[in-house]
Amino acid sequence: MLKIDNLHASVEGQDILNGLSLSVKPGEVHAIMGPNGSGKSTLGHVLAGRPGYTVTAGTVEFLGQDLLALDTEERARLGLFLAFQYPVEIPGVSNMEFMKAAVDAMRTQRGEEPLDAVSFMKLARETSKAVDLDPGFLKRGVNEGFSGGEKKRNELMQMMLLQPRLAIMDETDSGLDIDALQVVARGVNAMRSAQRSFVLVTHYQRLLNYIEPDHVHVLAGGRIARSGDKSLALELEAKGYAWLENEVA
Amino acid sequence: MSQAHIDSAIKKEYSAGFISAIESDTLPPGLDENVIRFISARKNEPQWLLDWRLEAYRGWLEMSEPTWAHVHYPPIDLQAISYYSSPKSIEDGPKSLEEVDPELLATYEKLGIPLHEQEMLAGVAVDAVFDSVSVATTFRAKLAEAGVIFCPISEAVREYPELVRKHLGTVVPRKDNYYAALNSAVFSDGSFVYIPRGVRCPMELSTYFRINEAKTGQFERTLIVADEGSHVSYLEGCTAPMRDENQLHAAVVELVALDGAQIKYSTVQNWYPGDAEGKGGIYNFVTKRGMAHRDAKISWTQVETGSAITWKYPSCILRGDNSVGEFYSVALTNNYQQADTGTKMIHLGKNTRSTIISKGISAGHSSNAYRGLVRMNPKADGARNYTQCDSLLIGDRCAAHTFPYIESRNPSAVIEHEATTSKVSDDQLYLCQQRGLDAEKAVSMIVNGFCKEVFKELPMEFAVEAGKLLEVSLEGSVG
């Protein structure tokens, strides 16, 4: 599915990723943890192709393709989804219109006809219920005036509509209360399948109580300092990151 | 044609009252009283209209070109323009679409314009009978049944002289401004509309279906009179870029809404904006104004994407008590386009209300200015205005300016003004692209969202076209 080899990347001239390697197989859920500034979010943006994030060395293969050679939207259409930590607002563009355009872009990529408005409306309403978001949000501007939790659920809703092959969730759990966290977990668990992989970027072990990862990685200094199974997350919770950083140093 | 020829032609027309034969249908460049006499005679106009034109011309001679607008262009040599050319023979146009600029055709294609309409717009000589001709005939019959008059203004001068004479120049006086005076002196043709008392016009009136008729030329003149209690919606222009050799356009539009009447005037303007370096585009200097009598309502909606230079302020004089004025505008500039546009709401009557929603979008190296005046006269008790003026910037080489003028001479009047400037942010584009949309689609979606409040004022089919038009006009503005 995804094969990252010795990835180096910089933002505004500053090196953030320093030789990160990671392999994600179909159906796997990987959790990426690590202290602030370790490069967790940068990894997600580099994979998604955010402008201004420069890859200086290394390779990334996604579904057999050279991911780094593709434009941002081409990566998305291949099935790479990034749930944003801070989703931006797009005033005036309705959520419904935005999501339909996105779904149609994916369908076009697969050689399918765009969905007709009625079918899409039906699908969107069902999905909004699944993420516990009032269907009224479909008519509002994209993220316009949404609370933090509503924005996160809106991201989840997009993920469910777009049915990606690989979903990278950038601290989707931060700022969520326990109910919202469960909604997110339920959504992710429902989407887990042998063809779909997840990379969960998170600060806290809490999320992993609800979404059980196959692998846990700890980032430090822009590379993976340690990998393990879910017990690694518990160990981190108990000892903190300092323990690990000392060990790496 | 020599001056002597013109002189003799004019004399001849004068004695005969109409022109029988002249050697050429196009006047050489230049403007003087003889030219005006020639135009008037060639159009078979009555004496009063000739006098009216001459008076305008004499006034114009005393005036100078306005320089206050936030636009820059080399001086226009008005003596280098020919002020009369009879409708071009259809044989002069391209013979088929194969002879038409491929880039123009590509634009038509993107706008989804049917083939036969493409031919009309591009000025192709076609002798087939268009569907639109028969459609137009059906329309005319329906309008006639309702008593609505909708015809070229030159025809109205002959057929309904008392109506034209009564209203022409009552809203935009002959010497109102430099370009209006020039238009009054030399106007070529345009539309005349009269809606009888209490009649609700049975359809949207559109210049679209008179596209087969003679070109109205660069000095278009439109007069719409809505009699007491009548309603009319008028659509001007067309989303397709029009082929036109004239660089300067100075039109005048006058709306008269008598007691209780409602006029809705919608414009989509997409004249040639010039190439990517800004060369060769149309200069559009337009005077549009409406007079609203008691309980009347005038609503201007405009979508401006074309022209190299736009200088345009559709305005309302709210003369009668309780009259309402509205201005909804989207002005988009790209590349090196310049627009200075806005409105004037002149509140004279009691409890008059006006709403201004202006959306300016600048991309490329363009400059986009909103200029608006809200004036509350001493007698305008209880008058209200709400102005919302939003600018959207795309890229970092364009400019947006706002020049609001507020004059209140009545303490009971309420004026509200809101203005915002925003930018299509990289983060917004990134979000859209991460969801699989390409940058151009993303920008057009964001811009359409920005314009929504105005688009919803447009007649339905126009709104859809306007959205597509923005998309085409924004091409190349990102990346």
Side-chain angles (χ1 to χ4, degrees):
Chain A
M1 171 76 68
L2 179 73
K3 198 169 175 351
I4 305 171
D5 190 28
N6 190 32
L7 187 62
H8 291 253
S10 64
V11 181
E12 289 171 356
Q14 204 177 341
D15 294 331
I16 310 283
L17 298 183
N18 299 298
L20 187 145
S21 297
L22 175 69
S23 184
V24 178
K25 294 196 178 70
E28 288 182 343
V29 175
H30 289 241
I32 309 253
M33 305 181 74
N36 289 325
S38 59
K40 299 189 303 292
S41 290
T42 301
L43 174 63
H45 289 307
V46 167
L47 294 177
R50 182 178 192 155
Y53 284 57
T54 316
V55 173
T56 49
T59 59
V60 180
E61 198 184 291
F62 176 57
L63 295 171
Q65 297 211 36
D66 176 3
L67 186 74
L68 302 178
L70 302 174
D71 289 338
T72 308
E73 62 267 29
E74 290 169 334
R75 300 179 193 194
R77 289 176 199 158
L78 262 187
L80 186 148
F81 181 92
L82 174 65
F84 288 87
Q85 183 180 4
Y86 304 111
V88 290
E89 302 191 358
I90 310 182
V93 176
S94 80
N95 232 343
M96 182 78 92
E97 180 188 358
F98 174 70
M99 292 187 197
K100 184 169 190 314
V103 166
D104 287 345
M106 301 298 165
R107 293 178 67 93
T108 307
Q109 172 80 13
R110 295 195 297 262
E112 295 168 11
E113 291 287 308
L115 267 187
D116 65 90
V118 177
S119 311
F120 181 78
M121 189 100 77
K122 193 162 167 278
L123 180 65
R125 281 173 176 279
E126 283 166 9
T127 315
S128 73
K129 278 193 199 116
V131 301
D132 207 16
L133 204 57
D134 188 284
F137 281 89
L138 292 167
K139 290 185 191 150
R140 289 173 53 178
V142 177
N143 297 318
E144 198 178 354
F146 289 23
S147 73
E150 288 160 353
K151 284 183 182 173
K152 294 292 173 73
R153 273 179 280 172
N154 205 36
E155 292 292 287
L156 183 66
M157 175 167 168
Q158 290 166 48
M159 181 171 85
M160 293 172 87
L161 283 171
L162 295 174
Q163 297 283 318
R165 298 294 304 279
L166 171 68
I168 303 161
M169 306 188 72
D170 189 5
E171 300 198 23
T172 301
D173 54 331
S174 60
L176 289 190
D177 59 32
I178 199 78
D179 293 340
L181 189 70
Q182 285 178 350
V183 168
V184 169
R186 211 164 49 225
V188 171
N189 286 329
M191 284 180 74
R192 284 179 83 155
S193 84
Q195 283 78 45
R196 184 173 294 126
S197 312
F198 290 85
V199 173
L200 310 175
V201 174
T202 180
H203 263 296
Y204 307 106
Q205 192 269 336
R206 191 179 64 155
L207 177 71
L208 307 180
N209 289 335
Y210 300 98
I211 307 172
E212 194 173 310
D214 299 301
H215 301 275
V216 175
H217 312 276
V218 184
L219 242 61
R223 67 175 70 167
I224 291 178
R226 182 178 284 212
S227 296
D229 59 18
K230 59 180 176 176
S231 64
L232 177 59
L234 292 167
E235 198 176 345
L236 280 171
E237 188 87 346
K239 298 187 183 171
Y241 291 118
W243 148 73
L244 199 91
E245 276 170 351
N246 292 338
E247 210 169 68
V248 171
Chain B
M1 191 195 288
S2 71
Q3 190 59 47
H5 274 100
I6 300 172
D7 289 347
S8 74
I10 288 165
K11 283 201 191 89
K12 194 165 153 196
E13 292 152 30
Y14 246 45
S15 56
F18 68 97
I19 269 192
S20 50
I22 49 166
E23 292 176 42
S24 164
D25 268 350
T26 300
L27 276 182
L31 180 57
D32 58 25
E33 290 201 5
N34 285 331
V35 167
I36 292 163
R37 288 177 203 282
F38 178 91
I39 294 169
S40 187
R42 188 74 181 78
K43 295 168 82 65
N44 210 358
E45 288 176 353
Q47 184 65 38
W48 68 264
L49 190 50
L50 173 62
D51 293 342
W52 195 86
R53 287 177 180 272
L54 288 172
E55 182 62 25
Y57 174 70
R58 286 167 199 148
W60 178 76
L61 286 176
E62 315 267 299
M63 302 166 95
S64 53
E65 205 177 329
T67 53
W68 44 261
H70 195 83
V71 293
H72 306 278
Y73 54 91
I76 304 169
D77 183 0
L78 292 171
Q79 294 298 335
I81 295 174
S82 168
Y83 288 85
Y84 184 87
S85 77
S86 72
K88 272 244 168 83
S89 151
I90 204 154
E91 280 83 39
D92 292 345
K95 298 287 178 290
S96 74
L97 280 178
E98 280 158 25
E99 292 178 30
V100 175
D101 180 3
E103 208 152 300
L104 193 63
L105 292 181
T107 308
Y108 290 162
E109 207 61 53
K110 284 174 206 152
L111 288 167
I113 293 167
L115 201 66
H116 70 274
E117 282 176 23
Q118 292 188 19
E119 287 173 333
M120 283 192 280
L121 292 164
V124 172
V126 266
D127 49 13
V129 177
F130 304 127
D131 295 346
S132 59
V133 173
S134 52
V135 169
T137 314
T138 322
F139 278 170
R140 286 225 176 84
K142 211 167 157 193
L143 289 175
E145 206 175 296
V148 171
I149 301 169
F150 179 36
C151 67
I153 198 162
S154 56
E155 192 182 313
V157 168
R158 291 192 297 273
E159 304 290 328
Y160 314 98
E162 64 295 332
L163 269 178
V164 177
R165 193 171 184 180
K166 184 174 173 195
H167 295 288
L168 188 71
T170 57
V171 184
V172 179
R174 277 173 290 187
K175 297 171 200 170
D176 185 78
N177 67 69
Y178 184 79
Y179 293 108
L182 178 64
N183 175 289
S184 300
V186 302
F187 70 87
S188 32
D189 212 335
S191 301
F192 175 77
V193 175
Y194 174 76
I195 315 292
R197 182 178 300 201
V199 168
R200 195 175 275 267
C201 187
M203 67 191 66
E204 312 259 2
L205 293 183
S206 166
T207 48
Y208 197 72
F209 59 79
R210 53 180 191 89
I211 211 159
N212 294 322
E213 292 176 11
K215 277 200 175 165
T216 46
Q218 56 193 137
F219 300 102
E220 189 168 355
R221 182 110 199 169
T222 299
L223 173 61
I224 298 177
V225 180
D227 213 326
E228 292 175 18
S230 67
H231 287 232
V232 62
S233 169
Y234 186 91
L235 274 56
E236 173 200 40
C238 173
T239 50
M242 298 285 277
R243 198 179 72 110
D244 200 315
E245 299 91 19
N246 301 313
Q247 188 172 41
L248 174 68
H249 280 249
V252 170
V253 175
E254 293 181 281
L255 310 183
V256 180
L258 295 175
D259 290 359
Q262 297 195 5
I263 302 178
K264 183 177 174 64
Y265 192 104
S266 312
T267 306
V268 172
Q269 186 268 112
N270 186 22
W271 274 329
Y272 184 54
D275 62 18
E277 272 79 52
K279 292 201 185 72
I282 302 252
Y283 295 176
N284 191 21
F285 297 87
V286 188
T287 305
K288 288 183 164 175
R289 194 175 302 152
M291 177 82 77
H293 292 262
R294 198 162 46 82
D295 300 321
K297 177 176 171 181
I298 289 178
S299 181
W300 298 99
T301 307
Q302 59 170 19
V303 177
E304 301 277 320
T305 64
S307 298
I309 296 176
T310 302
W311 181 99
K312 181 178 170 187
Y313 315 91
S315 304
C316 297
I317 300 173
L318 303 173
R319 180 163 138 180
D321 293 348
N322 311 315
S323 58
V324 176
E326 294 175 339
F327 175 74
Y328 300 99
S329 169
V330 167
L332 180 148
T333 53
N334 196 359
N335 296 320
Y336 284 87
Q337 282 177 276
Q338 306 173 61
D340 192 299
T341 184
T343 185
K344 285 189 266 187
M345 293 292 174
I346 313 292
H347 292 252
L348 302 178
K350 291 185 182 56
N351 299 317
T352 46
R353 281 170 293 143
S354 64
T355 304
I356 299 171
I357 309 281
S358 164
K359 304 277 181 176
I361 302 143
S362 336
H365 292 85
S366 68
S367 161
N368 202 322
Y370 166 81
R371 187 182 302 276
L373 167 68
V374 176
R375 178 184 291 155
M376 303 297 188
N377 272 40
K379 286 182 181 158
D381 293 336
R384 292 187 75 103
N385 161 266
Y386 173 74
T387 299
Q388 183 189 328
C389 199
D390 299 323
S391 306
L392 183 69
L393 302 172
I394 301 170
D396 52 11
R397 293 160 300 176
C398 53
H401 309 271
T402 305
F403 305 100
Y405 304 82
I406 295 171
E407 299 171 11
S408 184
R409 280 180 270 157
N410 185 311
S412 71
V414 178
I415 300 173
E416 291 173 80
H417 183 99
E418 287 180 22
T420 66
T421 301
S422 54
K423 204 171 173 278
V424 175
S425 75
D426 293 342
D427 285 348
Q428 289 173 332
L429 286 182
Y430 175 45
L431 170 62
C432 293
Q433 287 175 283
Q434 211 302 302
R435 298 300 183 250
L437 310 177
D438 58 54
E440 289 198 342
K441 167 79 188 161
V443 168
S444 104
M445 198 164 70
I446 293 167
V447 168
N448 269 295
F450 176 74
C451 299
K452 203 168 268 175
E453 284 162 286
V454 174
F455 284 176
K456 74 175 166 48
E457 297 297 327
L458 286 171
M460 189 60 178
E461 70 279 13
F462 243 34
V464 174
E465 284 182 38
K468 263 194 280 183
L469 176 60
L470 287 194
E471 196 165 321
V472 171
S473 306
L474 279 167
E475 266 179 15
S477 64
V478 285

